[in-house]
Structure formats: C-alpha cells, structure tokens
Amino acid sequence: MDESKLSENDMRLAMSLSMAPTKFDKYIILLKNDYGYNLSKSQLAMVLDVSEQTIDRRIQEASNIPEYLRSGKGKKANYFFPIIEVASYLCNTIKVA
C-alpha cells in the first residue's frame, strides 16, 4: 500500500484499527468514524445491507434488531441506534467463514 496516497485521517483510522484489540473495538472505531455516536434507521439499513422497510419490520416485531432509543411517540417518532449497540449486534450476528 502506498502510504503517500492516504489522507491524514485515513492514516489515523488505519492506526486505530491496527491497535484495536477486539472485533467489537474495530466496529466501534469504524462506526464512530462514519456516523458519530448514533445511527438513524436509514444509516442502520445501509450498515446491515437491508432495506429501511426491513428495519421498520424488525422494530415492529422486536426481533433481530440492535437496541435503540426512540424520540417521541407515534408514526413521526425518530429512532436512534447507539454505535455500542450496533457494534454488539454485529459481533453477535455476522459470522465469517
């Protein structure tokens, strides 16, 4: 890899990932870098490679979904998925062959 073509931010990210001791820590670093501390429903759908409708269905069924926070009530409520919960979910659901 030609390090001269990487930005300073990319170098810091690569260094952080190389020093992360666990898969959970690596997920936290990557999620925080891309999304901050919380993901929206649409961002979670992108991370999980499913549709936003699938996220809605999983929330409604209360199954196969990371823990979330809900702001407000009714159909206009917003859902937030803390990166810690998403990282934990990913560690427990994604299997590498």
Side-chain angles (χ1 to χ4, degrees):
M1 181 191 309
D2 186 2
E3 292 180 10
S4 65
K5 292 184 180 178
L6 294 176
S7 71
E8 186 176 327
N9 189 41
D10 290 339
M11 290 295 290
R12 274 187 267 142
L13 179 61
M15 182 66 74
S16 295
L17 287 171
S18 69
M19 295 187 330
T22 65
K23 183 167 64 168
F24 175 81
D25 293 323
K26 290 178 183 183
Y27 280 131
I28 291 290
I29 291 166
L30 290 169
L31 289 168
K32 183 177 178 287
N33 184 64
D34 289 344
Y35 303 105
Y37 291 101
N38 295 298
L39 281 74
S40 66
K41 282 196 300 187
S42 61
Q43 291 169 331
L44 181 65
M46 287 188 331
V47 168
L48 299 181
D49 195 26
V50 298
S51 69
E52 198 168 334
Q53 290 81 10
T54 298
I55 299 297
D56 288 332
R57 181 177 40 79
R58 289 179 181 181
I59 289 171
Q60 187 176 23
E61 294 172 356
S63 69
N64 198 19
I65 193 86
E67 295 290 324
Y68 56 87
L69 304 171
R70 184 176 175 184
S71 69
K73 295 185 180 196
K75 293 183 179 184
K76 299 241 180 204
N78 289 318
Y79 292 85
F80 301 98
F81 299 86
I83 61 170
I84 291 174
E85 300 298 338
V86 175
S88 179
Y89 175 84
L90 292 170
C91 285
N92 293 321
T93 58
I94 295 184
K95 306 294 181 208
V96 177

